[in-house]
Amino acid sequence: NTLLLMKELFLHFKDIDLSEEFLNANLSKVLEKAISDKGFIKTEARSALKTLEKTGCSNAVIKVLCDKTFDKNVNISEISFQTLADTIKEAKENLGGSLNQDYIELLFFTIAKTIDGKRAASKRIAEELCQQLKGGLPGTEAELEGYLQGNMKLKEYDARLILRAMQTNNVKA
């Protein structure tokens, strides 16, 4: 019943203002249930996350998902990053209207750390996300690196990881 309630809350996310504290406690539980051994629970939790992906691009959701991307449990970490990526993909180029600057910076930091991490599946998802985000960013490599280091406050190493990921598909194409 709790998972159904969370799915309903996520469905009407734009109409209600869920606090970061509420989401931290409850979205964390939904993520835990999304890796449950019980098929019905797992299915309901993942359905709730799919609903969140379509409606949940907000500061509080991004914060919780970014934090959970570095969870000790590998499965929670991976499903959290997948949900984060899908939420950003659903938001399309409207990130500036959905998120304030601090949360956009947190998002880019999370992407950089994921690319630099050890989980191959999450790295691939992060690189795909970089490809999508590239469209709304400055054009030349120097401008983009300046933007990532200046506006997103990334360290040079992290900015270069994101730049490399943005160029990955260009080389393959």
Side-chain angles (χ1 to χ4, degrees):
N1 287 335
T2 303
L3 290 172
L4 293 173
L5 172 63
M6 291 306 297
K7 182 177 178 179
E8 192 69 24
L9 288 173
F10 294 159
L11 184 62
H12 299 288
F13 196 80
K14 299 292 183 200
D15 302 328
I16 53 178
D17 187 23
L18 299 175
S19 70
E20 192 172 311
E21 294 79 24
F22 177 86
L23 282 169
N24 192 33
N26 292 289
L27 182 51
S28 296
K29 289 294 182 189
V30 173
L31 289 165
E32 287 173 21
K33 298 300 180 190
I35 61 166
S36 174
D37 292 335
K38 296 180 180 175
F40 175 74
I41 298 293
K42 183 178 188 175
T43 300
E44 287 302 321
R46 290 192 180 207
S47 177
L49 292 174
K50 287 292 177 197
T51 301
L52 177 67
E53 291 167 3
K54 291 179 179 23
T55 60
C57 191
S58 74
N59 294 326
V61 169
I62 297 305
K63 170 82 168 93
V64 173
L65 292 173
C66 284
D67 290 347
K68 286 298 188 178
T69 293
F70 304 108
D71 195 89
K72 292 182 286 186
N73 183 312
V74 173
N75 295 319
I76 290 176
S77 175
E78 288 179 353
I79 198 160
S80 181
F81 190 72
Q82 178 69 57
T83 302
L84 174 66
D86 289 344
T87 301
I88 297 304
K89 288 175 185 174
E90 284 289 329
K92 309 238 185 312
E93 290 83 30
N94 193 25
L95 284 184
S98 301
L99 304 175
N100 72 30
Q101 184 65 27
D102 292 339
Y103 294 92
I104 294 174
E105 290 171 14
L106 177 62
L107 172 64
F108 274 92
F109 175 79
T110 301
I111 292 169
K113 293 302 173 199
T114 301
I115 292 170
D116 198 33
K118 296 178 182 174
R119 298 183 181 120
S122 293
K123 280 183 179 187
R124 181 186 46 76
I125 293 166
E127 289 172 352
E128 290 171 3
L129 187 56
C130 284
Q131 288 295 310
Q132 181 197 342
L133 292 172
K134 183 179 180 181
L137 300 174
T140 69
E141 186 174 330
E143 290 173 334
L144 185 53
E145 186 172 2
Y147 176 80
L148 292 171
Q149 288 180 8
N151 294 30
M152 294 299 120
K153 299 177 185 162
L154 291 175
K155 294 179 181 166
E156 182 179 351
Y157 178 75
D158 293 337
R160 291 196 184 250
L161 285 172
I162 289 177
L163 278 171
R164 208 170 315 128
M166 288 180 173
Q167 296 168 347
T168 300
N169 279 355
N170 292 344
V171 174
K172 291 178 185 175

